[in-house]
Amino acid sequence: MDILVQDKAHDESRQGEALLLKPVNEKQADRKLYIESYGCAMNFSDSEIVASILADNGFETTADYNEADVIFINTCSIRENAEQRVRNRLRDFTIAKVKKPGLVVGVLGCMAERLKAKFLEEEKLVDVVVGPDAYRDLPNLIEQVDGGQKAVNVLLSREETYADISPVRLNSNGINAFVSIMRGCDNMCSFCVVPFTRGRERSRDPESIVKECAGLFESGYREVTLLGQNVDSYKWKPETETEEAKPVNFANLLEMVALINPELRVRFSTSHPKDITDEVLHTIKKYDNICKYIHLPAQSGNSRVLEMMNRTYDREWYLERVDAIHRIIPECAISTDMITGFCSETDAEHQDTLSMMDYVKYDFAYMFMYSERPGTLAAKRYADDIPDEVKRNRLKEIVAKQQEHSHQRLLAKVGTVQKVLIEGFSKKSENDYCGRSDQNAMVVFPVSENYKPGNYVNVYVDRCTTATLIGRVV
Ligand code: SAH
Ligand code: SF4
Ligand code: F3S
């Protein structure tokens, strides 16, 4: 059981959204691509890069896989159930292939990287397996399949950032966009498969990031979320340092993006507790358009468990970073990820997670039962010895606590005015708009002719549900 609360940037259990794009050149568009994405925001952002590479090679995207000549599934390996979901969905695609000979079925992303050519043995009807750093090779690989072969490219790279590719914005509301600022991860959290599926950490040229964000602003976008597994370790070094060309760290990059335009909101994800600096916090404070919201995954509230997880901080360090956030940016919202039932976690250690939650009173949290991943340090070193039932009960406890805290955080906003960027109609009714506050709370209020999606409005909050603020524009 996975539990999620709130927004897309951190929700690595998103699943099955098909993406749509228009071909660059109508005449070339003689083949149709269907692409479905699973996992974290980085994967969704990668699908936009894949769509862009294939658009340049004559592919038009379709939202109906029955019409497609090529079906890609962009996959996630983070927990076993994420992989299971992908395998189930793959059945639908391989059935489609039986009905339509010549249909190309490809597996992209983290599962492709983890399983490599083995995927072709396990799933006989899959034609292409491509890892996250090999998407430029897709047109060749498809050609290889057209020629009757199977094709695999799972080479990881130390350099690839796709910096020069302008992602095609797919299924977009034209207001929020993800912008990848780095790839890979050099941390070795013992539970985590990402360093194996995404390779070494590398940062993208800041100029290309600013150019992409400025372009988005010019086309009407009003919010960018800068993405990386550990944005605080963003580091760019120019080939030769001069007065103009200096190294750029995450605080510098945030400032560069914030300066594009005060009307462009800047969000970022994910921050790592070991790397988030006071300099970053002061930069967040300095600019009104950098959102006062930090996703700072703790994973556990107990120092022994954190050490086994190889998170490289302990409970005290984490709480000191939380205090620093509150000291420098008092209004800042904080969210977390938590894992229950990690190897050898005792009940007393689980209580430490609960007491940490009481201390921080997170605005949101994503909470998971530990799922052993083959090849990780934890799988090699430690027994996955907490029974599922215990993991599940601990999860239920932290979920119940988080629901209380989320509700308290929202209740504290009742009676205040929040600046909201309108994203579109609310899910429930076309009589209401919805959008998020600076602190990332969802806000719902009545539609009016005076404003539209993409506008900022001040909303007086008169009540809330457990997950949403409700109010009216003032
Ligand atoms: N880079 C981010 C997290 C990326 S993965 C960070 O360092 O915080 C997103 C979340 O999935 C993690 O924060 C963790 O809570 C969860 N997760 C990762 N591996 C897991 C596993 N093996 N079992 C359960 N949850 C896991
Ligand atoms: Fe995984 Fe840790 Fe890297 Fe996050 S920081 S992606 S949890 S190894
Ligand atoms: Fe993201 Fe899942 Fe890969 S969380 S990095 S798609 S393993």
Side-chain angles (χ1 to χ4, degrees):
M1 173 167 56
D2 283 356
I3 300 293
L4 44 116
V5 192
Q6 270 261 332
D7 79 333
K8 286 179 179 173
H10 312 127
D11 178 5
E12 70 295 322
S13 43
R14 283 169 79 197
Q15 50 177 295
E17 283 179 28
L19 305 168
L20 265 182
L21 86 147
K22 296 242 156 42
V24 171
N25 177 343
E26 294 283 348
K27 269 181 274 164
Q28 284 182 341
D30 51 359
R31 289 180 91 181
K32 288 198 167 131
L33 164 72
Y34 175 86
I35 180 165
E36 199 170 280
S37 308
Y38 291 74
C40 64
M42 309 259 349
N43 246 20
F44 281 73
S45 163
D46 280 2
S47 290
E48 298 187 331
I49 288 168
V50 168
S52 169
I53 292 169
L54 288 186
D56 289 346
N57 284 271
F59 283 84
E60 182 187 357
T61 303
T62 168
D64 175 4
Y65 74 83
N66 291 307
E67 293 193 330
D69 303 293
V70 173
I71 296 178
F72 283 154
I73 180 162
N74 196 355
T75 61
C76 174
S77 285
I78 201 80
R79 285 169 292 275
E80 200 183 334
N81 57 9
E83 292 202 349
Q84 203 44 53
R85 224 173 269 151
V86 166
R87 287 183 196 278
N88 292 344
R89 183 58 169 158
L90 209 47
R91 296 279 170 275
D92 297 332
F93 300 152
T94 48
I95 290 167
K97 189 175 161 74
V98 173
K99 288 195 211 141
K100 186 174 177 180
L103 174 67
V104 177
V105 175
V107 176
L108 315 181
C110 292
M111 261 177 103
E113 192 62 52
R114 192 176 85 73
L115 292 159
K116 305 190 167 58
K118 251 203 310 196
F119 217 113
L120 296 178
E121 290 159 30
E122 287 178 24
E123 306 280 348
K124 297 265 183 290
L125 290 170
V126 168
D127 305 293
V128 206
V129 174
V130 191
D133 287 346
Y135 296 146
R136 287 184 203 264
D137 199 23
L138 278 169
N140 299 326
L141 297 168
I142 293 173
E143 233 178 86
Q144 222 172 296
V145 174
D146 290 342
Q149 289 169 293
K150 300 256 173 186
V152 179
N153 187 343
V154 288
L155 286 176
L156 286 171
S157 155
R158 278 176 177 258
E159 285 94 35
E160 181 64 271
T161 58
Y162 301 110
D164 57 310
I165 293 183
S166 2
V168 180
R169 302 295 158 185
L170 301 158
N171 270 15
S172 158
N173 62 3
I175 294 159
N176 329 93
F178 291 132
V179 176
S180 189
I181 64 164
M182 57 207 294
R183 300 181 70 82
C185 182
D186 277 355
N187 298 313
M188 273 288 181
C189 302
S190 62
F191 52 80
C192 185
V193 78
V194 172
F196 304 95
T197 63
R198 295 254 159 190
R200 298 305 297 269
E201 180 183 293
R202 64 222 98 119
S203 297
R204 178 180 167 191
D205 182 342
E207 243 178 73
S208 74
I209 297 170
V210 171
K211 196 170 144 214
E212 186 176 329
C213 295
L216 284 164
F217 184 77
E218 272 160 35
S219 357
Y221 284 80
R222 288 297 172 263
E223 185 178 284
V224 290
T225 303
L226 308 180
L227 292 180
Q229 293 299 349
N230 176 3
V231 290
D232 300 282
S233 70
Y234 177 89
K235 186 119 216 107
W236 174 262
K237 283 202 190 78
E239 264 164 38
T240 41
E241 248 180 76
T242 63
E243 251 320 288
E244 284 85 53
K246 288 196 181 129
V248 177
N249 66 16
F250 184 56
N252 308 142
L253 180 71
L254 263 182
E255 179 158 50
M256 288 160 75
V257 177
L259 285 170
I260 291 171
N261 194 296
E263 293 285 294
L264 179 68
R265 266 190 177 174
V266 187
R267 296 187 188 275
F268 52 90
S269 173
T270 301
S271 299
H272 197 298
K274 81 176 159 68
D275 292 315
I276 190 164
T277 59
D278 286 359
E279 187 193 4
V280 165
L281 300 179
H282 285 292
T283 307
I284 298 170
K285 173 155 185 88
K286 185 169 164 195
Y287 293 94
D288 279 346
N289 58 332
I290 303 182
C291 291
K292 309 297 180 264
Y293 168 61
I294 300 176
H295 184 57
L296 193 70
Q299 315 296 359
S300 164
N302 175 268
S303 296
R304 188 191 72 90
V305 173
L306 286 168
E307 188 172 346
M308 283 178 71
M309 287 177 162
N310 203 23
R311 287 290 286 182
T312 69
Y313 54 82
D314 59 11
R315 179 184 172 97
E316 286 64 42
W317 173 279
Y318 184 89
L319 293 180
E320 190 283 322
R321 290 289 78 204
V322 168
D323 291 343
I325 294 170
H326 287 150
R327 189 168 63 238
I328 297 168
I329 323 162
E331 73 278 27
C332 194
I334 306 178
S335 60
T336 189
D337 295 345
M338 291 290 190
I339 297 177
T340 62
F342 186 65
C343 315
S344 80
E345 181 191 63
T346 65
D347 198 51
E349 289 164 341
H350 163 64
Q351 294 300 324
D352 286 344
T353 297
L354 290 164
S355 75
M356 180 185 264
M357 294 172 76
D358 280 328
Y359 182 89
V360 183
K361 289 214 166 50
Y362 292 106
D363 291 76
F364 319 109
Y366 298 91
M367 294 161 278
F368 314 100
M369 282 162 57
Y370 173 58
S371 162
E372 185 178 85
R373 307 311 294 131
T376 56
L377 289 180
K380 286 183 193 152
R381 283 187 196 158
Y382 311 123
D384 178 14
D385 55 358
I386 306 299
D388 265 12
E389 202 192 325
V390 176
K391 288 180 182 172
R392 190 166 294 115
N393 286 337
R394 289 181 186 168
L395 181 63
K396 276 190 196 150
E397 281 179 43
I398 65 170
V399 166
K401 185 168 285 298
Q402 184 51 45
Q403 279 172 346
E404 244 174 66
H405 291 162
S406 297
H407 194 208
Q408 282 172 21
R409 288 282 183 200
L410 291 181
L411 277 173
K413 297 282 183 308
V414 173
T416 65
V417 173
Q418 299 290 320
K419 184 174 174 186
V420 176
L421 172 60
I422 308 178
E423 293 182 7
F425 292 117
S426 94
K427 269 194 201 134
K428 288 197 185 137
S429 150
E430 297 221 336
N431 297 324
D432 289 325
Y433 277 140
C434 71
R436 276 172 301 150
S437 71
D438 185 328
Q439 281 105 331
N440 211 30
M442 190 51 80
V443 187
V444 170
F445 51 92
V447 166
S448 145
E449 289 171 355
N450 302 331
Y451 37 84
K452 59 180 200 306
N455 292 161
Y456 291 96
V457 284
N458 287 319
V459 176
Y460 175 79
V461 178
D462 36 48
R463 61 204 163 91
C464 70
T465 68
T466 49
T468 313
L469 299 176
I470 302 166
R472 58 191 151 80
V473 173
V474 287

